[in-house]
Amino acid sequence: MEYRQLGASGLKVPALSFGAGTFGGQGPLFGAWGTTDAQEARRLVDICLEAGITMFDTADVYSAGASEEVLGAAIKGRRDQVLLSTKTGLPMGDGPGDAGSSRTRLIRATEDALRRLGTDRIDLFQLHAFDAATPVEEVLSALDQLVRAGKIRYVGVSNFAGWQLMKSLAASERHGFPRYAAHQVYYSLIGRDYEWELMPLARDQRVGAMVWSPLGWGRLTGKLRRGRPLPAQSRLHRTADYGPPVEDAHLFDVVDALDGIARETGKTIPQVAINWLLGRPTVSSVIVGARNEAQLRQNIGAIGWTLAPEQVARLDAASHRPAPYPYFPYERQEGFARLNPPMIPSP
């Protein structure tokens, strides 16, 4: 396993992390992801550790805390072998204090996560969404308090807009608060919006990307093909509306390119899609999930090899989408490129 620095922090994380959203699955969304119990989870953790996958990511909102509980049971007796990452900020109830990032909410959420995970510390604690109602100074001051207390080690965010992340980083620098080391983001071959603003920000400010849903909400498994109906067993029947949208024509263009490269390399379509992400700028770790051992072992097969430059170029071209405003007027203008050299070549 390759280990990478998480942003500007001293924390080294595996290039692949394990997402525990399938653990203890309950409800229409998380129940469709998977219903892995503690015994099954322990086996998946065994396989991860054998492969060098030492970071496990979860969130309090995943099945109302059940994911954290199952993960805590699965790592019992080997806490020092793993890195625990969890998130808070999304609603956990209907009360006025059950969502957001106020000082009260963050302290309570941390204590609840520690109890459910069965540990005395969280290695990476992330805000699941930006809370516009709470001043960033209050958020960062509360996180500083928790870091000083030894309850969390590093801090990060998830799904922030560029201005939200930059405002927070500026406040950290101004007041000497802990600095966000990670940004957990959606990024895939059928969802490259991260590249336009958040990736340049991450490079400039040295914030490591933790990639969620690298297979585009389950669409890049190889089971969805042009001209074929959605497989009967696909979870997309129940969960498509929860995830990032994609046009069918674009999806199938990308799948066709993946299919050709999978045949050339002897790899699977998911392995090629994940390997492409591992080569992108600012990516510290790609979070993979699995409902069973076979899925996990297939995802692990995405590491340990490299796509050829020509294959990367073909995937770049098939997955390219026009730049959004304010980038599209300048995307291909030479003068603008001299001022802002692209991180990724245009197809």
Side-chain angles (χ1 to χ4, degrees):
M1 178 60 60
E2 175 192 356
Y3 294 87
R4 302 178 175 184
Q5 214 77 17
L6 184 62
S9 78
L11 183 62
K12 291 186 177 181
V13 297
L16 292 182
S17 298
F18 184 86
T22 57
F23 288 4
Q26 302 172 15
L29 174 58
F30 301 111
W33 283 7
T35 56
T36 305
D37 61 22
Q39 182 177 351
E40 295 169 323
R42 191 168 183 87
R43 175 58 182 156
L44 295 178
V45 170
D46 288 341
I47 296 169
C48 285
L49 293 180
E50 290 169 3
I53 297 176
T54 54
M55 175 167 270
F56 298 85
D57 181 75
T58 182
D60 56 6
V61 76
Y62 293 170
S63 299
S67 173
E68 289 181 329
E69 291 175 350
V70 172
L71 177 57
I75 64 162
K76 188 175 181 179
R78 44 187 173 174
R79 175 64 182 90
D80 292 340
Q81 300 178 44
V82 305
L83 297 171
L84 289 178
S85 165
T86 194
K87 302 178 289 293
T88 195
L90 295 180
M92 288 289 286
D94 297 326
D98 291 334
S101 306
S102 69
R103 182 184 304 276
T104 299
R105 173 78 197 286
L106 289 178
I107 292 173
R108 186 176 74 241
T110 300
E111 297 292 350
D112 288 344
L114 290 170
R115 172 179 48 79
R116 287 190 289 257
L117 289 164
T119 185
D120 62 350
R121 67 200 185 278
I122 295 166
D123 298 290
L124 177 61
F125 188 77
Q126 300 156 101
L127 305 182
H128 216 155
F130 184 72
D131 178 4
T134 302
V136 295
E137 291 82 4
E138 178 180 336
V139 176
L140 292 164
S141 174
L143 293 173
D144 181 54
Q145 177 182 343
L146 291 164
V147 169
R148 291 176 184 275
K151 295 182 179 182
I152 58 179
R153 297 290 193 257
Y154 295 91
V155 293
V157 297
S158 181
N159 304 321
F160 272 37
W163 72 266
Q164 296 164 348
L165 178 54
M166 196 65 238
K167 181 176 182 178
S168 301
L169 292 172
S172 291
E173 182 174 348
R174 187 164 59 247
H175 298 289
F177 292 140
R179 197 175 189 278
Y180 294 136
H183 190 187
Q184 192 167 140
V185 297
Y186 170 59
Y187 188 24
S188 77
L189 272 166
I190 54 171
R192 295 177 58 182
D193 294 338
Y194 169 71
E195 296 174 358
W196 293 110
E197 180 167 317
L198 294 174
M199 180 184 282
L201 188 162
R203 181 179 64 171
D204 180 72
Q205 295 295 312
R206 297 182 64 198
V207 178
M210 301 275 295
V211 176
W212 62 264
S213 203
L215 298 182
W217 207 252
R219 293 181 172 95
L220 298 179
T221 62
K223 297 177 182 177
L224 274 65
R225 297 301 182 106
R226 195 186 305 271
R228 300 182 191 174
L230 193 65
Q233 73 276 15
S234 173
R235 62 181 173 87
L236 287 169
H237 288 288
R238 291 175 287 171
T239 66
D241 291 342
Y242 291 98
V246 60
E247 296 174 356
D248 285 348
H250 182 58
L251 167 64
F252 295 130
D253 286 345
V254 173
V255 171
D256 288 346
L258 282 168
D259 192 33
I261 293 171
R263 289 196 299 269
E264 293 170 8
T265 58
K267 305 296 182 180
T268 66
I269 285 178
Q271 287 169 346
V272 174
I274 294 170
N275 189 275
W276 177 86
L277 282 168
L278 290 168
R280 309 313 276 179
T282 75
V283 171
S284 291
S285 190
V286 175
I287 302 170
V288 298
R291 285 178 288 183
N292 53 53
E293 181 175 336
Q295 287 183 348
L296 177 55
R297 291 193 183 279
Q298 175 175 242
N299 288 336
I300 292 172
I303 203 162
W305 56 281
T306 304
L307 288 164
E310 180 272 335
Q311 293 169 331
V312 171
R314 282 158 56 194
L315 291 173
D316 289 349
S319 61
H320 177 74
R321 302 292 283 170
Y325 180 82
Y327 307 104
F328 75 81
Y330 315 109
E331 183 181 4
R332 297 184 184 277
Q333 289 188 18
E334 182 180 349
F336 181 77
R338 286 200 303 268
L339 295 173
N340 298 272
M343 299 183 66
I344 302 166
S346 296

